[in-house]
Amino acid sequence: MLVRLIYASRAAGDVNAELLDAILRSSRQNNPAIGVTGVLCYSGGMFVQVLEGSRSAVSSLYNVIVRDPRHEKVELLHFEEIVERHFSGWTMGQVNLSKVNACVLLKYSARAEFNPFEMSGSTVMRLLDDLIATAAISK
Ligand SMILES: Cc1cc2nc3c(=O)[nH]c(=O)nc-3n(C[C@H](O)[C@H](O)[C@H](O)COP(=O)(O)O)c2cc1C
C-alpha cells in the first residue's frame, strides 16, 4: 500500500548550496533502496518535502528526517493513502523556487511568498503540480 506524506520545517541555521547538496545526495543514495520518491523544496529558511512510498518506508524515513538537527519545527501538512505516485520519476526532485514565477506563488498564497506553514497539504500538491508543468523541478 502506498502513502504520501508532506511536511514543512524551518532550517536550524544558514542553508547554503553545500548543505542542500548534502541532503539531496543522501536522499538520492538512500531512497531508491527503500522505494521512496518525492520532492524537496527549500526557500527563505523553510523546507517542504513530499515523500511517497510504502507506509512503512515513508514512516521510518520520516522518523529519521524529523530528528535531523539541520532543521526544526517539523509540521505534518498531509498524510494519505494513494493509488499511484505523483513523483515516481524523482528519487528526490529539487524545486528551485528562485526560478518560479511570482504569479504561480500568488495563485496559491495570500502573498507572492513561499510559506508552507500557511498552506494546506493539498495546496502544496497543487503548487508542485504547476511547478512540474513549468519544469521548475530538477532531478
Ligand atoms: C529537509 C531534509 C530532508 C531530508 N530528506 C531525506 C530523504 O528523502 N532521504 C534520506 O535518506 N535522507 C533525508 N534527509 C537526511 C536524513 O535526515 C539523514 O541525515 C540521512 O538519511 C542519513 O543517511 P546518510 O548517513 O546516508 O546520509 C533529509 C534531511 C533534511 C534536513
Side-chain angles (χ1 to χ4, degrees):
M1 183 224 308
L2 290 171
V3 300
R4 177 180 303 126
L5 182 154
I6 308 176
Y7 72 83
S9 64
R10 292 188 188 275
D14 282 345
V15 172
N16 51 27
E18 239 168 77
L19 187 141
L20 269 181
D21 275 355
I23 293 174
L24 286 164
R25 220 178 305 123
S26 300
S27 310
R28 288 166 184 165
Q29 208 167 335
N30 302 335
N31 296 1
I34 55 170
V36 169
T37 54
V39 289
L40 177 67
C41 180
Y42 173 78
S43 181
M46 288 171 277
F47 290 103
V48 69
Q49 189 173 29
V50 181
L51 300 171
E52 296 176 337
S54 74
R55 187 169 61 200
S56 63
V58 168
S59 303
S60 335
L61 179 58
Y62 180 64
N63 278 298
V64 170
I65 294 173
V66 164
R67 290 193 213 105
D68 194 310
R70 290 171 288 189
H71 65 168
E72 57 196 17
K73 298 194 170 60
V74 180
E75 201 168 297
L76 190 60
L77 302 185
H78 190 73
F79 183 85
E80 66 169 336
E81 290 177 4
I82 52 173
V83 286
E84 60 183 49
R85 292 173 197 251
H86 217 91
F87 302 103
S88 51
W90 286 273
T91 57
M92 191 46 61
Q94 183 187 14
V95 177
N96 187 347
L97 276 177
S98 61
K99 281 193 206 157
V100 173
N101 192 316
C103 302
V104 179
L105 288 175
L106 204 51
K107 187 170 165 190
Y108 297 106
S109 331
R111 276 162 292 132
E113 287 166 13
F114 177 69
N115 186 347
F117 289 94
E118 288 178 359
M119 295 168 96
S120 68
S122 48
T123 305
V124 169
M125 277 304 292
R126 294 275 292 274
L127 169 63
L128 292 173
D129 270 347
D130 270 16
L131 299 182
I132 291 174
T134 54
I137 300 184
S138 52
K139 292 203 183 198

